[in-house]
Amino acid sequence: MKTVTIRRTNEQIPVGKIICIGRNYIEHAKEMQADIPDKPVIFLKPPSAIIYDGEDIIIPKISNEMHHEVELVVVIGKGGKNILASDADSHILGYAVGLDMTLRDVQAEAKKKGLPWTVAKGFDTSAPISEVLLKDEIPEPHNLNLVCRVNGTVRQQSNTDKMIFSVHKLIEYISSIITLERGDLIYTGTPEGVSQVNNGDTIEAELVGYIKITNNVKSETK
Ligand code: MG
């Protein structure tokens, strides 16, 4: 079973569901030539997709186009159903930085055929995540600078104040459909600047001033 580690206490929390949000930044929706959603777009990754700082991201044989997506990740501390946005903060344990690694060619094919995104988004190593910062270490989750560098060059740089749906609105929406439980993760969507990575690249994903992960990209042996 995969876990996440609380940085301050070293406590290990078993990971439940991984709920991901698509198109939560206007500029990313535009670069994907997608409509701006009027309610959150949600999809799931399996917990087996998780890897940690320093581990390799593996491009599966089925793809020739893997993209990075840097995201703020919310870690649920207290479960619930039909949680109101006004009460959502009490359900949050903390925050992490993560990468929603995406097989863009596989996803494009799935979109064209109206098929699910599970293969494009849920493959092994598709969910790198940092240690977890407790909520009291992140006073303003909607004013965090997110940066993604590839081989030292900045590819994505934005602020969580540009989210279309706030963390609290996301919790309200998700929990109206899917019961949230302790250890569930919410990948809250990526800003613009997503781009391809290749065998041998090094990706750094950072919540500026708080925490960073570094992962190398490798191709699965064909
Ligand atoms: Mg994403």
Side-chain angles (χ1 to χ4, degrees), residues 100-162:
D100 166 18
M101 299 307 298
T102 302
L103 307 177
R104 198 68 75 197
D105 50 353
V106 175
Q107 186 193 32
E109 190 68 19
K111 282 181 179 175
K112 203 161 61 186
K113 293 181 176 167
L115 295 172
W117 295 0
T118 309
V119 176
K121 294 283 198 178
F123 60 96
D124 286 352
T125 77
S126 64
I129 191 166
S130 70
E131 291 184 331
V132 178
L133 301 170
L134 291 169
K135 182 169 58 175
D136 64 14
E137 297 175 75
I138 305 275
E140 184 37 82
H142 300 105
N143 185 17
L144 293 168
N145 287 311
L146 277 172
V147 171
C148 181
R149 291 180 210 85
V150 178
N151 304 327
T153 301
V154 173
R155 298 270 186 96
Q156 292 184 274
Q157 185 164 33
S158 190
N159 190 288
T160 56
D161 67 356
K162 297 196 169 56

Side-chain angles (χ1 to χ4, degrees), residues 168-215:
H168 305 119
K169 284 281 182 197
L170 290 174
I171 289 174
E172 178 174 283
Y173 179 74
I174 294 165
S175 72
S176 74
I177 301 161
I178 302 172
T179 296
L180 287 170
E181 299 168 299
R182 182 175 173 82
D184 286 350
L185 307 178
I186 304 172
Y187 279 63
T188 58
T190 199
E192 70 278 13
V194 300
S195 69
Q196 187 170 2
V197 289
N198 296 294
N199 183 52
D201 286 343
T202 298
I203 309 177
E204 292 167 88
E206 184 172 7
L207 269 185
V208 179
Y210 291 100
I211 201 156
K212 183 173 90 165
I213 52 172
T214 304
N215 300 86

Side-chain angles (χ1 to χ4, degrees), residues 36-54:
I36 311 298
D38 54 11
K39 58 179 185 292
V41 174
I42 69 177
F43 61 93
L44 299 171
K45 286 180 190 263
S48 49
I50 284 181
I51 60 168
Y52 306 103
D53 182 34

